Amino acid sequence: MAKELVEYDVTHTRFIGGQHRVAGEVVRMTQAQAKYYLAPNGEGLAVKALETKTVSKKTNDKPAKADQG
């Protein structure tokens, strides 16, 4: 199992990792540490959603021409 840190959102105010955490706080810990606070084993954490940038495509404002043939 990888030892990389993952960001989690605190969903319930409670003790997590030996510290009192408030709902809305962001916590970084390994997956092994977080498994006791994630469903179905427990509650209190949720994986932080990745922020994605929206890319808008430019569309042609002109109506499409029908083929005349």
Side-chain angles (χ1 to χ4, degrees):
M1 187 173 282
K3 298 268 185 192
E4 76 181 58
L5 295 176
V6 179
E7 289 188 344
Y8 297 94
D9 286 323
V10 177
T11 58
H12 298 3
T13 301
R14 60 174 292 182
F15 278 90
I16 296 176
Q19 293 183 348
H20 189 262
R21 304 292 183 167
V22 179
E25 194 174 337
V26 176
V27 177
R28 291 176 47 113
M29 58 179 50
T30 64
Q31 290 177 348
Q33 291 171 317
K35 75 178 184 179
Y36 299 105
Y37 307 105
L38 294 170
N41 298 326
E43 60 181 29
L45 288 181
V47 178
K48 184 172 172 76
L50 297 176
E51 294 180 13
T52 57
K53 294 181 181 179
T54 57
V55 178
S56 60
K57 290 185 177 182
K58 288 188 177 183
T59 58
N60 192 355
D61 293 337
K62 298 177 185 177
K65 293 182 180 180
D67 286 337
Q68 296 178 3

